[in-house]
Amino acid sequence: MNVKELDREYIAGTYARFPVVLTHGSGSLVYDEAGKEYIDMGSGIAVNAFGVADGEWISAVTAQLGKLQHSSNLYFTEPGALLAEQLCSRTGMKKVFFANSGAEANECAIKCARKYAADKYGADRRYKLVTLKNSFHGRTITTLAATGQDEYHKLFQPLTPGFVYAEANNCAALRALVEGDENIAAIMFELVQGEGGVLPLEYDFVQCIKELCAERDILMVCDEVQTGNGRTGTLYAWQQFDIVPDIMSTAKGLGGGLPIGACLMGEKVKDTMTPGTHGSTFGGNPAVCAGALNILGRIDDKLLAEVRAKSEYIVSELSAAPGVESVAGLGLMLGVKTAKPLDEVVTACRENGVLALTAHGKLRLLPALNIPMELVEKAVAVIKAACE
Ligand SMILES: *Cc1c(COP(=O)(O)O)cnc(C)c1O
């Protein structure tokens, strides 16, 4: 059997894959088994922050692999400690818990929010989290409950209780919900709803969340799993909204292609998680953290300025293109509404050598942060032609 047949036979049918078998790549170019070249405008869903087979990252990971690939969390190791230090010094957050995925980073954020409230107000009282309609927070039973989309919930009842949903960008409705419920511990949100269709929250709505949190000692939890690590043109998206979260989760791009999740805790909750309250066998794996440390160190002001410049180019080119109805997003996290049926556009892109993603009826672009301008221009030309 070939790869596609083996996969269909033996891998659980949870994915509707594009009909491409990828074998290797270099930077923002990837190749399939027939040798066809593609410009990768998805970077493994915002994971390969510096593209494929990045030399510096490989060196960082392999150097650590040659020393100690795993130790368990019963011992101290250097890479995780250095990574946590850099995450804190660049965000003002105080403590980091390392997990292995976005959903797990969010699980930690949710546990931390509930424990803060239980410690301060008594268990079984302030246990609820407000999340937003159309959000996405992961696939575990609890992060599914946090995800404000009914179609993900239907077949998996009962989900973890304690989540209530508010409409994004509706301050009055959020205020009414929060003021009408004494049991709210936290408000959790993505600053740009990714899976939900690449929709940035309005600045004023984010200020509304900030005010409500301050008035009522409610924790502000930012899910930066997708928006984080330079994706939106700042290290973390909240840095563009005049807020400082109490808890922040991130994952995807942080590991440069290896699995990592991180839950960052601010001043209020820095001592909430105590020995025995949480843990992870693989969390903080030294090889993964060594790679992440290399990635994070390279997301500097120069790279972030380039992310913003490439974003401006893509937005200005595509918003003026025939067949494009709208372009939304921040930085290199963009959603394009097309007049033509989306699957036609994605297929035309692929046939012409551009891999693009979709989200809620939109073409979704998440290229590597260091994609060369020349490849951006080529990809934009292919996307324009596919939309027309
Ligand atoms: C991808 C994503 C998650 C889930 O991350 P996994 O690593 O797949 O568990 C959670 N939140 C947001 C905003 C995401 O984009």
Side-chain angles (χ1 to χ4, degrees), residues 223-292:
D223 179 342
E224 294 255 10
V225 170
Q226 191 165 156
T227 50
N229 314 301
R231 177 57 47 193
T232 66
T234 47
L235 186 57
Y236 293 102
W238 58 261
Q239 293 166 323
Q240 297 173 52
F241 286 84
D242 296 323
I243 56 170
V244 179
D246 298 299
I247 304 175
M248 183 207 106
S249 59
T250 191
K252 291 192 167 86
L254 180 59
L258 284 173
I260 187 170
C263 173
L264 278 62
M265 297 159 233
E267 186 63 40
K268 255 191 187 181
V269 294
K270 68 176 195 279
D271 299 318
T272 296
M273 300 310 273
T274 48
T277 57
H278 203 41
S280 163
T281 297
F282 285 113
N285 172 278
V288 178
C289 285

Side-chain angles (χ1 to χ4, degrees), residues 322-324 338-342 344-350 352 354 363 379-388:
V324 171
T338 62
K340 271 196 201 167
L342 186 57
E344 267 178 44
V345 174
V346 175
T347 302
C349 285
R350 188 172 66 245
N352 293 298
V354 169
L363 193 73
V380 164
V382 169
I383 295 166
K384 275 185 175 172
C387 290
E388 199 171 335

Side-chain angles (χ1 to χ4, degrees), residues 45 100-104 106 136-139 190 194-195 223-226 251-252 364:
I45 320 189
N100 314 287
S101 66
E104 282 177 282
N106 285 339
F136 183 84
H137 297 294
R139 302 282 192 170
E190 304 152 89
E195 308 298 314
D223 179 342
E224 294 255 10
V225 170
Q226 191 165 156
K252 291 192 167 86
R364 177 166 50 151

Side-chain angles (χ1 to χ4, degrees), residues 112-123 271-274:
C112 181
R114 283 195 171 166
K115 181 155 185 302
Y116 170 82
D119 287 347
K120 195 160 172 184
Y121 299 97
D271 299 318
T272 296
M273 300 310 273
T274 48

